[in-house]
Amino acid sequence: MTSHNKQAGVFLWGVPRSVSTSFANCMTYVQDSVVWFEPYFAADWFGRDGNTTQFLMNYNKTKKNVAYPLDANIQTGDNIYEAAQHDFTWVKKKLEEEQPGKKVIFVKDMIQGIAGHYDALPDGFRHTFVIRHPLKVFASLRNLNDKVHHLSGHAGRLTDLTPHLVPPGYFYKEMYDLVEYLKNTIEPYPIIIDTDDLLSNPYQMMHSYCDSLGIPFDESLLTWPAGNDVMLRRWICPKELIVNGYSMSHEATFKTTGFGKPSPIPDRRELPDDVLEVADASMLYYDKLFEQRLQPVSG
């Protein structure tokens, strides 16, 4: 595994609603590890070069209704930083710095955050990916957006959302483009995990994932305490991802103590047309990524 300053660096790039936060929960308990939570996504949304518009303009209106309000100690904790004070260059620099006492630096991030900013990728990191069937992703994303759209001021239809919420390639093209870029530069064989494989056999998939990266695996990684304390006090996390409606997307995750079971693919007849439109547009890229995935060992 590639390392810098004798530390192993690993990215997990995800599409929305792909169990990537549970993945981060799991990796939190790797011995001598540190988890960074969506630094590039936060730089893209909230940073000095950020693209967010009306969503953040409603910050003062929504912070009183946050799912996880912060007290003074948490707001000033060493693990919480303000993305609005930084940019992509700062994220790259911080990730490349030695992090004392840590052997594994694990970065969980969203694929849309790095699109157009490949020059900001830090040196010395491996890159891995988590995917999920588009019908599952977009049905879940539509439900989430219906839940929080009154905070952001955006309509519920996915096809009506602005590019900083749903990028032009509907996440999957952005992921495919990064995979191809990495294959031609620093990561000839990116590790891709499909959520259904992970949820169907978490022991086997996480064992294979860790082995492929040279990370020590223990079965105890597959269970963790419920609650959001890990986000507030352990992960290196942008404050903006805690104090606005975005945190609502993790409510169910922070109630879990392990990976759940895979859900069936939704019945197309029961899905709204905007979900079908974006899912169908994404299938070509999903299929290409799925073909390259880390497959469960049979037998």
Side-chain angles (χ1 to χ4, degrees):
M1 173 178 195
T2 302
S3 65
H4 59 289
N5 298 323
K6 298 182 180 180
Q7 294 177 327
V10 179
F11 272 89
L12 179 71
W13 298 102
V15 298
R17 322 308 291 164
S18 61
V19 197
S20 58
T21 301
S22 291
F23 207 120
N25 240 335
C26 171
M27 297 301 293
T28 301
Y29 299 98
V30 172
Q31 186 176 4
D32 299 326
S33 69
V34 61
V35 172
W36 281 70
F37 186 76
E38 303 186 1
Y40 285 97
F41 177 76
D44 186 48
W45 267 44
F46 312 109
R48 291 197 298 254
D49 301 326
N51 297 316
T52 306
T53 53
Q54 188 63 42
F55 191 91
L56 261 196
M57 292 174 64
N58 287 340
Y59 167 76
N60 288 329
K61 298 178 183 178
T62 64
K63 65 179 181 179
K64 63 184 179 181
N65 297 320
V66 299
Y68 312 114
L70 300 180
D71 61 34
N73 291 330
I74 298 173
Q75 290 190 61
T76 57
D78 291 340
N79 66 309
I80 303 295
Y81 69 95
E82 290 195 39
Q85 304 299 317
H86 304 294
D87 56 17
F88 291 97
T89 301
W90 178 86
V91 174
K92 172 180 166 65
K93 179 181 177 181
K94 295 300 289 185
L95 290 175
E96 289 178 340
E97 290 178 356
E98 183 174 1
Q99 303 193 32
K102 304 300 180 183
K103 295 180 180 178
V104 178
I105 304 168
F106 184 81
V107 186
K108 181 268 192 206
D109 221 320
M110 303 305 295
I111 193 61
Q112 65 269 36
I114 197 61
H117 299 283
Y118 294 171
D119 60 323
L121 288 170
D123 295 332
F125 276 73
R126 295 289 306 274
H127 294 267
T128 69
F129 300 82
V130 60
I131 59 176
R132 191 185 187 195
H133 193 285
L135 284 176
K136 295 185 179 184
V137 164
F138 292 115
S140 178
L141 188 61
R142 172 61 190 268
N143 289 337
L144 174 65
N145 193 64
D146 288 346
K147 180 179 179 181
V148 302
H149 82 274
H150 64 285
L151 299 178
S152 65
H154 294 287
R157 290 177 53 85
L158 299 180
T159 49
D160 292 337
L161 299 181
T162 57
H164 75 274
L165 290 171
V166 177
Y170 302 132
F171 308 105
Y172 289 88
K173 184 179 186 301
E174 285 76 15
M175 180 172 284
Y176 177 78
D177 287 347
L178 179 57
V179 167
E180 290 300 301
Y181 169 79
L182 293 169
K183 286 167 64 176
N184 291 319
T185 53
I186 61 173
E187 188 75 45
Y189 304 102
I191 298 174
I192 302 172
I193 286 187
D194 187 81
T195 297
D196 278 6
D197 291 335
L198 174 62
L199 298 183
S200 296
N201 197 332
Y203 178 90
Q204 184 183 96
M205 294 304 299
M206 289 306 304
H207 200 316
S208 296
Y209 178 83
C210 290
D211 281 355
S212 298
L213 295 165
I215 294 174
F217 173 80
D218 188 273
E219 191 170 1
S220 63
L221 299 179
L222 302 180
T223 58
W224 50 79
N228 66 321
D229 187 70
V230 66
M231 184 179 193
L232 297 180
R233 301 185 185 276
R234 295 193 60 165
W235 295 346
I236 300 178
C237 181
K239 184 173 73 173
E240 291 88 343
L241 295 186
I242 302 172
V243 298
N244 63 58
Y246 181 77
S247 59
M248 297 174 68
S249 64
H250 303 303
E251 285 181 304
T253 296
F254 289 129
K255 294 177 182 177
T256 67
T257 57
F259 293 110
K261 298 297 183 183
S263 59
I265 296 176
D267 188 333
R268 293 178 61 91
R269 295 169 298 182
E270 298 176 359
L271 296 175
D273 58 354
D274 61 309
V275 169
L276 296 177
E277 180 179 340
V278 296
D280 289 347
S282 302
M283 283 303 302
L284 172 65
Y285 298 104
Y286 171 75
D287 287 341
K288 290 177 180 290
L289 293 165
F290 186 82
E291 291 174 358
Q292 304 174 59
R293 79 194 192 281
L294 181 67
Q295 298 190 39
V297 179
S298 59

